[in-house]
Structure formats: C-alpha cells, structure tokens
Amino acid sequence: MGHGRKKKRTHAVPTQEEFDDIPKTLVVRSGTVGRSVSALVSDVRQVMQPHTAVKLRERASNKIKDYVAVSNHLGLTHMLLFSQTETGTNLRISRFPRGPTLYMRVEKYALAKDCLRLQKTPHTSAAEFLTPPLIILNNFAGENKGREFKLMTTMLQNMFPAINPSTMRLTDARRVVLFNYNEETGLVDFRHYAVVVKPVGVTKGVKRVILSKNMPSLAQFDDISDYVLREAFASESDVEDGPENSVTLAQDYVGRNNAKNEQRAIRLLELGPRMDLRLMKIEAGLCEGEVIYHNYISKTKEELAEAEHQRQINLTNQARRRQQQDENVKRKKAKKGANNSDSEDDASEEDVRAPKIPEQPHRSAKDDFGGDAYNEDLFEDSESDASMDNGDANDSDADAAPAPKRAKPTKKK
C-alpha cells in the first residue's frame, strides 16, 4: 500500500508586521437585495481572496456602525457595501474608520458563472485564489482629470496589497484585476482575469502534447509527422504568440515545462464577474461628512463655504450634546453611589443600637425549687393525677349510660 505524498516545499509565512500592513476588505450587502445581487457579492468576495471573509453571513438588520465596531478588532481596512433600490444597484467603497467613501452606481454586471459559460474551455482552479490579485489601473491619470480621479485611484490601489518587484515570487502572480476608465461613456470597467502561460513557436498539436498530461490518440495516423503537419497552419492564437507578446520567465512558474529562462506567451482568461461602474459622489467621512465631489450637482465657492460653515456648526453642537450627556451620566453615577453608601451606614447604625440579649445558663429543677419543694411537687402532681383519673372514670360512666331517644315529629291534622 502506497504512502501519501510528502510536502517538500514550504511557503514563507509573513511576519506580524507584514500581516498588519496587508489590507483586508469586508464585502457585505445592506438591506434586502435580490438573488442576483447576493450572487454578485459572493463573486466579489472570491475576487478579494484571500484577505476577506468568504463565508460571512450578515443580516439585513446590520448597520454600518456594527461593521465599524468590529473593524479595529479584525484589522479591517476597507468595506465594499452593495445595496439595491428601485432605481438600481449601488456600491459604496469606504475606508475604515473615518472614510472617505466612494458612491458608485452599478450600471451593468455579469456573474462569474455567466462569464465561464461563454468560454469553450473555462479555466477554474482553487489554487489561484490562495494569493491576492494584481491590480491594473488604466486611463485614470491625465492633466484634464480632476481630483476625484486621484482620490479614486488611491482608494482602489490601497484595497490590494502592494508588491515589490525585486522580492516578489513569480508564482504569486496568478490573477489580475483591471479597472479601466472609459472616457466616452464615463464608466469604470471592472474585469477579473487569470494569468496563464503557453509555449510559443509550436503548432496547436504540439501544444496539446506539451500541455496535456495524457498523450493524444495516434491510432488514425501512420506517423507522428502526420499528426504534427496536420495542424501546421497558423491559427489566431498562434499569430498572437509572436515575439512581441512573449516573455522570458525569470523564475519557475506553475504548470508543465514552465521552467526558468523559457520563452512563454502570456494569456489572460476571464474569471468574472464583470461590472460597469459610474462614480456618483465622494464623501469625506465613512458614509457621511462633506461632499467632496458630486456627478450631477455643482456648487459655487460661496455655497461650498456656507455648507462647510454649517457642517462645523453641526459638529460643534454634536460635541456639546455629547459632553452634556457624559456629565449627566457621571452625575447619576455619583448620586447612585452616595445613596448606596447612606443605606449601608443606616444598616450599620441599626446593628449597633440593637440590644444584645444575654445568654441564660442552664439550671436544673433541683436548683430552682430545692430538694423538699421538689418532693412536695411530686406528691401534688400524684394527687392531681388521681383526681384526674377519678374524673376520667366518671366520664366513662357517663358515656356508658344510654342516650335519650329522639322524639318523632307528629303530623298536624
């Protein structure tokens, strides 16, 4: 009987400092959402692996303050909150604990199962989700871009761990998340891909021999050259595998024959989901605070100054009410403690004033009456007992006498 395979390679475990620097994202839904939005939330959790809670079961009654309360304990840095209204599906991207918050409208989306169903040979592997994805931001920089693009770029970059090309292992680059800004539509395209390498300079038949674990059937061929020359014509994929699309592997990569210094072509296979996002507004706080940017409403400098002044007044009033509440709580606690101490003092005074009853020593009957008196009491008791016996005899005689008969009632004529 064979033995199980022994693990010969070990993975470097990050230190506590490195683990604390890794961003951790919470993907939840708010309120009542449909089945499709719930499936979209599950797909986004798969994208954010491994630094997210995949099997989290939130309630419709959970509030944002509940997530904020546990964010510090769990080390959470970002939150992706999906909600659904009559007008459509919304996405809020927030940073714990003080913001800012990006409000986005999900114009269109497709689930991961729909993306895989469109492929002839879908690519699925659980090992790809053991490492965080790489992030690519396209068309977010430019001179004509406003400050909302800079803030959105910073928020999206900080959601994923930073990489160091000099120390990064090539096997950790298994997935890619793409954010592309479309200037014509004003939408942000969200895509999720898997990184796959393929050999270059060979035909499709040879690729099948190299990549597959089992040799193809050659029963219908007289020679191996017939199998190779049958698919010698270039296909679309062979044309794409040109020198400009091939790279030299700097390290050993996952897969068969993907050794160091080998020429390979890079392919991206879509895993899903897809989303088309539109930025609606940006708030300075965690789902609250000053509106930094709004897609539909524009204000003048005077209106912005007036809004900021009003916000400062509200913050001052809120701090004053909070201070007053703290003072009331302290006063009630002090009053309650004083009442408890007074009741304890009263109880101790009652214990002091209560008279103590001295204990009586045990005394015998001879000490109380003396010897002679004790004998006389005995005779008196005997006489009284005799008289009681005579009385009992008389009573017994009276009981023995027949009882008088009861007269019968007569009927009146």
Side-chain angles (χ1 to χ4, degrees):
M1 186 174 180
H3 298 281
R5 183 180 65 88
K6 294 183 179 180
K7 184 178 179 181
K8 298 181 180 179
R9 295 180 300 174
T10 57
H11 301 282
V13 179
T15 61
Q16 185 63 29
E17 296 180 357
E18 294 176 353
F19 186 76
D20 294 339
D21 295 337
I22 296 176
K24 303 174 185 60
T25 307
L26 182 67
V27 184
V28 293
R29 57 181 183 267
S30 176
T32 303
V33 298
R35 186 175 301 176
S36 299
V37 178
S38 299
L40 178 62
V41 172
S42 301
D43 292 343
V44 175
R45 289 177 181 175
Q46 294 291 336
V47 174
M48 304 305 297
Q49 280 199 81
H51 305 297
T52 187
V54 180
K55 298 182 180 180
L56 178 66
R57 299 180 62 182
E58 69 275 23
R59 298 178 180 177
S61 59
N62 290 132
K63 305 299 181 181
I64 296 179
K65 62 181 180 180
D66 300 332
Y67 302 125
V68 176
V70 300
S71 62
N72 189 20
H73 178 69
L74 300 178
L76 301 176
T77 57
H78 294 80
M79 178 180 64
L80 273 68
L81 186 65
F82 286 86
S83 60
Q84 190 175 21
T85 60
E86 296 179 357
T87 57
T89 305
N90 302 319
L91 170 62
R92 282 177 281 182
I93 303 177
S94 306
R95 182 175 178 85
F96 289 117
R98 297 181 180 86
T101 304
L102 305 179
Y103 286 79
M104 292 186 172
R105 173 71 56 81
V106 182
E107 299 289 347
K108 295 184 296 183
Y109 66 91
L111 301 179
K113 61 180 182 180
D114 299 330
C115 297
L116 296 177
R117 191 179 293 115
L118 296 176
Q119 302 176 12
K120 184 178 180 180
T121 56
H123 180 82
T124 56
S125 176
E128 296 172 349
F129 297 95
L130 299 178
T131 56
L134 306 178
I135 180 174
I136 299 176
L137 298 177
N138 184 38
N139 204 15
F140 278 85
E143 297 180 356
N144 56 347
K145 299 293 192 301
R147 61 174 183 173
E148 65 273 8
F149 284 91
K150 296 181 180 180
L151 184 56
M152 184 165 49
T153 301
T154 305
M155 284 284 293
L156 296 178
Q157 284 181 345
N158 293 334
M159 287 171 54
F160 301 90
I163 60 173
N164 188 358
S166 59
T167 59
M168 176 185 174
R169 295 183 302 175
L170 195 59
T171 54
D172 292 341
R174 306 290 299 274
R175 293 182 295 132
V176 172
V177 172
L178 172 64
F179 290 94
N180 176 55
Y181 177 71
N182 192 341
E183 294 183 351
E184 296 180 359
T185 60
L187 300 178
V188 178
D189 302 329
F190 173 86
R191 300 293 185 270
H192 182 215
Y193 299 99
V195 180
V196 180
V197 295
K198 293 184 177 182
V200 296
V202 294
T203 61
K204 185 180 296 184
V206 177
K207 283 183 181 180
R208 189 178 296 112
V209 174
I210 296 175
L211 298 178
S212 62
K213 296 182 180 180
N214 300 323
M215 286 292 295
S217 177
L218 302 178
Q220 57 181 345
F221 301 101
D222 297 334
D223 188 42
I224 186 66
S225 60
D226 297 338
Y227 173 77
V228 175
L229 295 177
R230 190 191 65 165
E231 298 179 350
F233 299 100
S235 60
E236 295 181 359
S237 60
D238 296 330
V239 173
E240 293 177 357
D241 294 342
E244 64 278 2
N245 295 327
S246 61
V247 296
T248 302
L249 298 179
Q251 302 175 8
D252 294 341
Y253 197 69
V254 293
R256 294 188 62 188
N257 302 323
N258 295 329
K260 184 179 179 180
N261 298 327
E262 291 288 339
Q263 289 287 333
R264 291 293 182 267
I266 305 299
R267 288 287 174 268
L268 298 180
L269 301 180
E270 189 172 5
L271 298 176
R274 298 180 183 179
M275 286 190 295
D276 292 342
L277 308 174
R278 184 184 299 277
L279 180 63
M280 304 301 294
K281 68 175 180 178
I282 302 176
E283 289 183 348
L286 184 64
C287 300
E288 61 181 3
E290 178 188 1
V291 178
I292 301 176
Y293 166 80
H294 203 287
N295 191 18
Y296 297 111
I297 301 176
S298 59
K299 297 182 179 180
T300 61
K301 294 183 179 180
E302 292 77 8
E303 292 176 347
L304 293 176
E306 180 64 23
E308 178 64 20
H309 179 67
Q310 186 64 31
R311 192 177 70 88
Q312 294 295 335
I313 293 176
N314 295 336
L315 292 177
T316 304
N317 296 334
Q318 184 179 3
R320 186 183 298 107
R321 289 193 299 268
R322 186 176 301 169
Q323 182 180 3
Q324 184 177 2
Q325 290 175 359
D326 295 340
E327 292 177 356
N328 294 337
V329 171
K330 291 180 180 178
R331 184 175 66 254
K332 290 180 180 179
K333 287 184 178 180
K335 184 178 180 181
K336 185 177 180 180
N339 294 336
N340 294 336
S341 60
D342 294 341
S343 61
E344 292 177 358
D345 295 341
D346 296 340
S348 60
E349 290 179 0
E350 291 178 357
D351 296 340
V352 172
R353 295 175 182 176
K356 294 184 179 181
I357 301 175
E359 296 181 357
Q360 297 294 338
H362 178 70
R363 300 180 65 184
S364 62
K366 186 175 181 181
D367 297 335
D368 295 336
F369 302 102
D372 299 335
Y374 184 70
N375 295 331
E376 293 177 357
D377 292 340
L378 288 177
F379 288 112
E380 293 177 358
D381 293 340
S382 60
E383 293 178 357
S384 60
D385 293 340
S387 61
M388 291 177 63
D389 294 339
N390 296 331
D392 294 339
N394 297 330
D395 294 338
S396 60
D397 296 340
D399 295 337
K405 295 182 179 181
R406 184 178 178 181
K408 294 184 180 181
T410 57
K411 296 182 181 182
K412 294 181 179 182
K413 295 182 180 179

